[in-house]
Structure formats: structure tokens, C-alpha cells
Amino acid sequence: MLTQNYQFALFSSQGRLVLNLHTKGWVLLVIPFLLCALAAANYVLFGYYNDHQNTLGSLSEIDKERLQVNEAMLSSSFELTDIENTLARVVDFNAKLRIMLSIGDEIDREATLSFSPRSTHGLRHLPALYGRNLNRKLRSRAQELNADMIYEETQQQEIAHSISLQLENLATIPVIMPTRGRFSSAFGWRKDPFKG
């Protein structure tokens, strides 16, 4: 049966021969296997295509989330810069107060001369510059700011203590008028009203 020859003839409705095929018997068995293999290959390729489409969708979502995270970190960077500028103004004001209260040192004098707010120019390029390290840099800046704010809080407590001491000292100094009434002349030497 596998080695026998088979002939297939296809006739039109008018009775003319349209197609005439000669084949061996084993070819007839191979064709269904080929069709099954083709169907299986199509099924596998369709699965790969679906996986590919799902992967592309996931990558698109990841890109959107990455952009949102970059924007959030950039916004945080601007907020940190604003906080740094505010802290720099507080440091400068505290240094001036310490100098006015005579408890300042040379560092305070340098602080009042060197105050300059941080510029935000170039911060828009932070995601490109730092890449994966941007979050670490922001966290490090926030920790430094926290330490600086704690230090300035202790400095303000020292200023408040110094002000209270100076107010106590001022309260003990006699700076009020001893009596009420009219002044006939100022304190100190004066001319004799009769002889000049």
C-alpha cells in the first residue's frame, strides 16, 4: 500500500480534466503529518507572538512608570533645593544674631559673608546625570539637610539662652529715673547762676 502508485484526477463540471496527480502511497501518509506539524508550529508561533505583545505592553508600562519616578525625583530635588536655600537663610540669620549678641566667632562672620542660595539651574538634567544613583543622591542630601537642621536648632537654643541671660542682666542695671518731677539742670558740672 505504501509503495503503490495512486492517481488523482480532477474534472470540471463540463467533464474536462483539470488536474491529474500521480503519487506514491507513503506521500498520502506524510501530508497529514505535515499539516499537523504546521498547525502545531502555528500554535507555538502564535504563543510567542502573544508573549512578545505582552512583553511590549509591559515595557511600555515600565517606561511610563520610570518617567513618573524620574519626574517625582526631579520634583523632590527641587523641593530639597528650596529647603537648602531656606536653611542657608536660617544659618545666615543665626550667625548675625550670634554676632549681635557677642557670642559669635569667626565662622559666623564667614557665614554672613558667604551666604548664597543654591541655584536650580541644571537640575532638570539630574535623571540623565545620575541615572540609578539619583535616589541615593537625594536620600544623602536629605540626610545632610536633617543633620544641618538639628545643628541649627541647637544653635537657636544657644541664642535663646544667651538672650534670656542678657535680658536678666539688663533687668538688674538701674536705667530708670530715680524720681519724678521737673529737671532744673542736667547731671554734672554747672555754672553758678549768680556769679556765672
Side-chain angles (χ1 to χ4, degrees):
M1 177 171 165
L2 294 177
T3 57
Q4 291 180 356
N5 290 329
Y6 291 93
Q7 180 178 3
F8 295 95
L10 187 61
F11 294 94
S12 68
S13 59
Q14 286 87 18
R16 279 194 242 149
L17 182 65
V18 175
L19 183 64
N20 189 11
L21 289 175
H22 297 280
T23 184
K24 295 271 187 191
W26 61 269
V27 172
L28 296 175
L29 289 177
V30 170
I31 290 175
F33 288 117
L34 286 176
L35 290 175
C36 288
L38 206 60
N42 280 338
Y43 179 76
V44 169
L45 288 176
F46 186 72
Y48 280 131
Y49 177 76
N50 279 339
D51 288 345
H52 177 70
Q53 291 300 322
N54 290 339
T55 303
L56 286 179
S58 298
L59 287 176
S60 173
E61 289 297 319
I62 289 171
D63 279 343
K64 287 178 186 175
E65 288 177 12
R66 183 182 54 82
L67 287 174
Q68 289 173 351
V69 167
N70 279 348
E71 288 174 4
M73 284 194 288
L74 190 59
S75 175
S76 297
S77 179
F78 279 113
E79 290 172 7
L80 277 177
T81 301
D82 289 342
I83 293 171
E84 285 173 344
N85 289 336
T86 303
L87 181 64
R89 284 192 291 275
V90 169
V91 168
D92 183 59
F93 183 71
N94 286 347
K96 288 176 182 175
L97 280 178
R98 283 192 293 273
I99 290 170
M100 288 169 47
L101 294 170
S102 300
I103 59 172
D105 52 13
E106 195 59 37
I107 295 173
D108 292 327
R109 290 182 190 0
E110 290 173 8
T112 59
L113 295 175
S114 66
F115 169 68
S116 60
R118 281 186 179 236
S119 170
T120 58
H121 180 69
L123 286 178
R124 297 225 175 259
H125 304 291
L126 278 177
L129 293 175
Y130 292 127
R132 296 179 185 166
N133 294 329
L134 179 59
N135 194 22
R136 190 177 307 134
K137 297 278 185 186
L138 289 177
R139 193 176 306 123
S140 172
R141 280 174 66 191
Q143 289 171 349
E144 289 172 8
L145 272 175
N146 191 30
D148 290 345
M149 285 191 289
I150 290 171
Y151 175 75
E152 284 308 312
E153 185 178 356
T154 60
Q155 293 296 314
Q156 286 179 344
Q157 290 171 356
E158 179 185 337
I159 289 171
H161 180 67
S162 176
I163 289 173
S164 66
L165 287 177
Q166 290 191 14
L167 286 175
E168 287 176 11
N169 288 340
L170 284 176
T172 60
I173 298 173
V175 291
I176 60 171
M177 299 294 289
T179 60
R180 295 176 187 234
R182 183 178 68 83
F183 284 104
S184 59
S185 64
F187 178 78
W189 294 96
R190 65 185 179 118
K191 291 183 182 180
D192 185 347
F194 302 108
K195 297 182 182 176

